[in-house]
Amino acid sequence: MNLFVGNWKMHKSRAEARAFAAELGSRIGGGVAGAELVIAPAWTALDAARDPSGRWALACQDVAAEAEGAFTGEVSAVMSADAGCRYAIVGHSERRRLFAEDGPTLEKKLARCREAGLIPIYCIGETAEQRDAGRTESTLVAEIATLGRDPVETPLVVAYEPIWAIGTGRSATPQDCSAACERIGQLLSSRRELRILYGESVTPENAADLLAGPGVNGFLIGGASLSAASFEAIARA
């Protein structure tokens, strides 16, 4: 089943999240055939974004690298699971770039997810400098290596983010998308339950073309997930 994850980032109050949930529920009725929907709101809006009937699941946008303790401002994986999350985004390009998260830190976050029963949505992708230098393959291999201790028998979602196409004026084609996702699938062929998402500038207009490529099992959606109408349209692609 294809997976569609709406990453709201630092958007939406609780009231806005409740309004979104009400609209999305009315739009999809009993659900979207062949699609699993996930919403990743801010922690404060988790309860407001919840669907009591289970037509979509919740994800947290990050987890702490430590299980508990004196870490002011952090939210543990156990806390997120207790708040109703099924998934957790780990290693988003913004976390890597803005907060200097690296392999050892992300490896700890993955471990905390497993301890809490959360399914990681692990984000990887190359920068413009890495791509232009011909280091796409080596970058993906290095970032996948962080999964080394993650149990291969547990469900895993990997989101490919072509960082070189974010805010650079360059666009990734459906061929770029499918080629990278296929290669990731080959590198992780030992995984028993693996879904690979594409995560850059997905819109209702390009979703069908991107999803048609081999190796693509859904999307990690940013701005387009802030509208219930566009999120629904992408999920129906």
Side-chain angles (χ1 to χ4, degrees), residues 178-216:
S178 61
C181 290
E182 275 197 295
R183 184 59 183 136
I184 292 167
Q186 292 167 358
L187 293 168
L188 291 170
S189 60
S190 63
R191 304 292 307 209
R192 296 183 187 175
E193 296 184 54
L194 173 68
R195 284 185 285 185
I196 302 171
L197 311 183
Y198 177 72
E200 190 275 321
S201 299
V202 179
T203 67
E205 291 71 33
N206 65 15
D209 288 339
L210 292 170
L211 195 61
V216 184

Side-chain angles (χ1 to χ4, degrees), residues 69 73 124 132 201:
I124 63 175
D132 293 342
S201 299

Side-chain angles (χ1 to χ4, degrees), residues 104-188:
T105 297
L106 298 177
E107 186 173 359
K108 292 173 69 176
K109 291 189 173 193
L110 289 164
R112 300 295 84 75
C113 287
R114 295 307 187 186
E115 292 165 2
L118 295 172
I119 300 173
I121 301 171
Y122 180 57
C123 302
I124 63 175
E126 78 277 25
T127 65
E129 293 76 15
Q130 290 165 336
R131 184 176 180 86
D132 293 342
R135 302 203 309 272
T136 294
E137 172 89 3
S138 61
T139 300
L140 296 179
V141 168
E143 293 181 343
I144 285 173
T146 299
L147 292 165
R149 298 184 185 180
D150 192 56
V152 297
E153 68 275 8
T154 54
L156 174 68
V157 179
V158 173
Y160 171 64
E161 300 180 284
I163 302 169
W164 54 270
I166 300 174
T168 63
R170 301 165 67 176
S171 297
T173 66
Q175 292 73 30
D176 292 327
C177 167
S178 61
C181 290
E182 275 197 295
R183 184 59 183 136
I184 292 167
Q186 292 167 358
L187 293 168
L188 291 170

